[in-house]
Amino acid sequence: MIILQKTHSVAGLVAAECVLLHQNVAFLSWEAFGAVLLGCLAGPLADVDKQGSTMAKILFPLSALLRILKVRHRTVTHSLIFIMILWLISSPLPALYHWVFITAYASHPLIDLLNEKGVQLFWPLKFKIRLLPKFLAIDTGSTGETCFQWMLLGVSLWIPFSTIEF
């Protein structure tokens, strides 16, 4: 089971907003618009390794290559080593977009740690990590995931409104 793309997109949005706050970027600016869009796209990106996912469909050549290389879901693309590689590759980007991309992408495996399947965070080591016991884990499409989505959406609305001075 995978956490749905919508959940990862909203988590990417929250990550982008956190970077905007940290870097003191006005929420009503073109830079913020680009950062939020990037966050929403980078959040679900790690699921390019899952056949049938939105990212696998959009990035079909990359997804096909991962399938040929027999990359299993929640392994390489969900690992800390892969995040570090992406950090190096994206470092030439302007600082705002570099940090939005990395934090939004990193939000993906962090959220998947809440699923009962866990993540091979320390790939190539084989063991998987999960943060919740199975009876509390968030299953795909479950009421728990819907509640988690709404909570993230609430946070995504609270962050920009919390910066308004009255």
Side-chain angles (χ1 to χ4, degrees):
M1 293 274 160
I2 60 172
I3 302 294
L4 296 174
Q5 181 265 329
K6 291 182 281 188
T7 304
H8 287 300
S9 287
V10 177
L13 167 63
V14 170
E17 289 177 338
C18 288
V19 173
L20 290 169
L21 267 179
H22 185 263
Q23 294 195 6
N24 294 315
V25 177
F27 280 91
L28 294 175
S29 67
W30 287 110
E31 292 81 11
F33 176 76
V36 164
L37 182 60
L38 179 59
C40 289
L41 293 172
L45 186 57
D47 277 342
V48 71
D49 66 356
K50 176 69 175 164
Q51 190 175 359
S53 72
T54 302
M55 285 296 135
K57 291 174 185 173
I58 292 171
L59 300 171
F60 176 74
L62 178 57
S63 176
L65 175 63
L66 293 172
R67 196 169 32 251
I68 289 167
L69 295 173
K70 299 189 186 311
V71 170
R72 292 183 22 210
H73 183 50
R74 292 196 180 151
T75 60
V76 178
T77 63
H78 289 63
S79 69
L80 291 175
I81 202 164
F82 195 78
I83 293 169
M84 288 189 293
I85 291 167
L86 288 178
W87 185 85
L88 288 171
I89 291 170
S90 65
S91 62
L93 290 173
L96 172 66
Y97 300 115
H98 168 72
W99 286 111
V100 165
F101 178 72
I102 292 303
T103 57
Y105 188 92
S107 74
H108 188 115
L110 292 176
I111 286 176
D112 280 355
L113 290 171
L114 303 175
N115 188 275
E116 75 173 66
K117 301 285 185 187
V119 174
Q120 246 180 283
L121 200 58
F122 297 103
W123 179 91
L125 300 176
K126 299 269 186 216
F127 68 92
K128 289 189 175 189
I129 299 172
R130 70 170 188 265
L131 295 178
L132 299 174
K134 284 190 178 191
F135 72 93
L136 287 177
I138 298 175
D139 288 329
T140 303
S142 68
T143 302
E145 183 179 5
T146 301
C147 290
F148 188 66
Q149 264 180 27
W150 280 102
M151 183 204 65
L152 285 172
L153 189 59
V155 169
S156 76
L157 293 171
W158 174 79
I159 289 173
F161 284 111
S162 72
T163 64
I164 298 172
E165 295 180 22
F166 294 100

